[in-house]
Amino acid sequence: MKYALSPIRPDQFQLACDIMTAQESALNPEFGTVSVDEMQMFFTSRGTLTGHTLMLTLDGENDPVAVISITEVPVRGKFWTASGWLPKFDLADVVVEETIQLAKSLHPEWKFQPNVTVADKAYIEAYTSRGFTEIQRSHSMRIDFDGIYPSPQLPSGYSLRTLASDGDWISFHQMLNDAFEGHFGYVKRDLEDFKSFRTESAAFDPYGIFILTDNAGEDVAFVESTNEIADMNRSFINTVGVIHAHHKKGLGKLVMQQAFAYASSQKRIGTELYVDIANASGALRFYEGLGMRPISSIACLDNPAWAN
């Protein structure tokens, strides 16, 4: 099989998204779409992340038919991946090999742990044949709104506010580090990296970040909604958490309900998020209890000797 690789151009951003949408939609009719905003960190950069994307064109084809895309994540010493191809072509092995070679050319000493849709057997096989095994699995969860979603009823003395000041950023950063301590793959970012990762995203929405304060004046929980899938008229919850000292009080439910209410007020038809199904906190059951349902599963694969 002969093909050519070339760096992605800005006028090809939407084409790359269309290719990945076609692949995922062929596996799951509920998938929706991949947006340029969602792929920004792979096409260009975002905060300290640097993207590298190649377009693959087969001999005899006028237009690219596959996307090889990775992002450097320095704080974790690893890559994120987002490659794909038009489903009418048998390109799993080629795409996987070129993705690995691209990563190897940059940082062969880093971790390379691709995320692959579980339903894509050819994609999974292309990695497992190279020694990769599954180390973690996540669900993409969705809730569809039936009319206006109501705002939560807060306990006496509790309040919610949106992100507005430097102090709010500091509190948000501290709470997230506390809430996510010990979670799979989580690495703390310094405040400036934490902030730029969000503000440099085209999907950033400061009015979608809510901080919950208790009746003693302590910030205890948060939820972060973005516009990453606004093209599907849905909101996306990037992070949600409760500091450890205030677990088991129903506070996570309150901030999630606030995120749903906010999305509903923007005329969104629903909300999505990702959840690690092995999360020891019981996150999957928590989201199901809020009316969310899984629409797809994603496997994280690893081969410590991937660059050898």
Side-chain angles (χ1 to χ4, degrees), residues 21-33:
T21 295
Q23 181 187 11
E24 294 293 341
S25 297
L27 299 165
N28 179 9
E30 287 196 275
F31 174 74
T33 59

Side-chain angles (χ1 to χ4, degrees), residues 165-301:
S165 67
D166 289 342
D168 290 341
W169 275 107
I170 292 170
S171 180
F172 177 28
H173 178 242
Q174 290 174 339
M175 284 193 294
L176 190 142
N177 282 334
D178 181 296
F180 278 71
E181 185 176 2
H183 283 212
F184 176 84
Y186 182 69
V187 176
K188 293 181 180 179
R189 288 186 168 96
D190 65 39
L191 178 61
E192 287 308 309
D193 185 12
F194 174 85
K195 186 175 180 179
S196 65
F197 175 75
R198 289 159 170 82
T199 58
E200 292 181 16
S201 168
F204 174 63
D205 179 7
Y207 303 108
I209 299 174
F210 294 92
I211 296 172
L212 179 68
T213 305
D214 71 2
N215 53 12
E218 181 181 10
D219 291 342
V220 292
F222 63 90
V223 65
E224 175 189 9
S225 297
T226 76
N227 293 318
E228 284 188 23
I229 54 173
D231 58 309
M232 295 191 290
N233 199 24
R234 300 180 187 277
S235 68
F236 182 79
I237 294 180
N238 188 38
T239 59
V240 58
V242 178
I243 63 175
H244 281 83
H246 289 266
H247 280 189
K248 308 300 181 182
K249 295 182 179 180
L251 305 184
K253 181 178 181 180
L254 293 177
V255 292
M256 285 292 295
Q257 289 174 331
Q258 178 60 33
F260 294 160
Y262 174 67
S264 177
S265 74
Q266 292 188 303
K267 311 300 182 186
R268 303 293 190 212
I269 62 173
T271 295
E272 294 185 9
L273 54 74
Y274 289 109
V275 58
D276 177 357
I277 64 173
N279 188 310
S281 69
L284 178 59
R285 292 190 303 276
F286 168 70
Y287 294 128
E288 289 175 333
L290 286 165
M292 306 192 82
R293 60 186 176 87
I295 57 171
S296 64
S297 297
I298 300 94
C300 180
L301 309 177

